[in-house]
């Protein structure tokens, strides 16, 4: 049995890179979701609906990207 170290290193590098990207995307999604929830404002403050909607859209895109990566990984693992 012979181990192809170059291939093993490539798989390790790609796995590490994708893991970092998914963790960062998930963290950004959580941060955007928290911003969309907003903080308590005084009654006289101007509404910030545009910013809250933008933050909600960003969080949805981040979570959808994480779900897509997880789905692709499951598709690779389960035989067709």
């Amino acid at each position: 049995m012979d181990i192809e170290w170059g291939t093993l290193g490539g798989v390790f590098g790609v796995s590490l890179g994708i893991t970092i990207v998914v963790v960062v995307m998930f963290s950004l999604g959580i941060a955007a979701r928290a911003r969309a929830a907003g903080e308590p404002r005084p009654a006289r403050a101007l509404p910030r609906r545009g910013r809250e909607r933008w933050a909600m859209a960003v969080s949805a895109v981040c979570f959808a990207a994480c779900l897509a990566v997880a789905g692709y990984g499951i598709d690779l693992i389960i035989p067709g």
Side-chain angles (χ1 to χ4, degrees):
M1 178 183 240
D2 188 30
I3 297 175
E4 296 182 23
W5 292 104
T7 304
L8 182 63
V11 169
F12 176 76
V14 169
S15 298
L16 183 65
I18 293 298
T19 301
I20 290 171
V21 167
V22 169
V23 168
V24 168
M25 290 297 289
F26 194 79
S27 298
L28 289 175
I30 290 174
R33 183 72 151 206
R35 181 171 287 248
E39 39 190 60
R41 297 187 301 270
R44 295 177 143 198
L46 295 174
R48 298 184 327 202
R49 295 303 274 161
R51 187 178 299 173
E52 292 170 356
R53 286 184 183 168
W54 177 254
M56 187 62 80
V58 168
S59 71
V61 168
C62 289
F63 291 141
C66 292
L67 186 62
V69 169
Y72 181 66
I74 290 171
D75 184 54
L76 288 176
I77 293 171
I78 297 176

